[in-house]
Amino acid sequence: GWRDSRPNPISVRSEEPTMLQPLALANGLASLKATRLSDDHQLTEMAIEAESVEALVRDVYRHLLTREPSAAESAAFVELLAPGFEERVVEGAVKRPRRRLRNPVSWSNHLNHRATTIKLELERQVRLGDPPTERLTADWRERLEDAIWALINSPEFVFVP
């Protein structure tokens, strides 16, 4: 199950912040998982259950930055999310069950010739991530994902003192 992409894992890590960390957060798998509103995402449920766009913006700020949005921040996000808010929930769309990835490779069979193929397929599936929910309209969902991405990549979130 070993592959060329990681023959020498790093065991000692620097704790100093670098510019690579925000770049990885902005463009990496963590950002994809955090921003894509799948059926397994807590913010998807918040978006579906929200009473108003203002309440949703407040809840998203509380969830991601653990604070209330300022008046200017709230106004900007309300302006982004208000169009289509009332029609955002797709009637009849059902929540898909969470996809569980099965890993049949273990120490007892990791030298089998199929182990690498299996592990590469698992890696591909993880990189794809969960599919976006069909319970929210695509246009509105993508705008909320953009808002989430902006908050996750804000200096307040990225650089923790």
Side-chain angles (χ1 to χ4, degrees):
W2 289 100
R3 61 188 191 284
D4 293 338
S5 63
R6 192 167 171 144
N8 298 315
I10 298 171
S11 59
V12 178
R13 298 188 185 274
S14 170
E15 294 181 11
E16 296 298 315
T18 71
M19 285 307 297
L20 293 177
Q21 292 163 334
L23 290 173
L25 186 59
N27 302 307
L29 290 177
S31 178
L32 174 68
K33 179 68 176 166
T35 59
R36 182 179 289 158
L37 294 175
S38 67
D39 284 322
D40 190 37
H41 201 299
Q42 186 176 5
L43 292 176
T44 301
E45 300 306 322
M46 291 170 73
I48 289 170
E49 296 169 5
E51 302 272 330
S52 68
V53 69
E54 293 83 6
L56 175 62
V57 170
R58 185 183 63 247
D59 291 345
V60 168
Y61 262 81
R62 286 177 179 171
H63 187 77
L64 295 176
L65 300 181
T66 66
R67 68 169 176 84
E68 300 286 329
S70 69
E73 291 167 335
S74 183
F77 280 89
V78 166
E79 181 181 344
L80 174 68
L81 299 174
F85 178 79
E86 296 300 325
E87 301 82 29
R88 73 193 183 287
V89 178
V90 176
E91 293 297 324
V94 296
K95 183 176 182 176
R96 290 177 288 212
R98 184 171 186 208
R99 180 180 57 154
R100 302 274 183 197
L101 299 178
R102 189 172 160 272
N103 181 11
V105 178
S106 67
W107 281 109
S108 65
N109 65 0
H110 76 280
L111 296 177
N112 183 295
H113 69 281
R114 289 194 8 88
T116 298
T117 305
I118 291 168
K119 287 303 228 178
L120 288 172
E121 176 56 24
L122 284 171
E123 179 184 18
R124 186 189 72 74
Q125 290 179 26
V126 168
R127 287 185 184 280
L128 284 175
D130 294 334
T133 185
E134 294 176 353
R135 296 182 295 153
L136 295 168
T137 59
D139 175 63
W140 192 87
R141 176 187 46 79
E142 288 169 4
R143 284 186 279 129
L144 180 54
E145 289 172 345
D146 290 345
I148 294 166
W149 186 91
L151 290 177
I152 288 175
N153 287 284
S154 68
E156 178 176 354
F157 189 91
V158 174
F159 293 106
V160 178

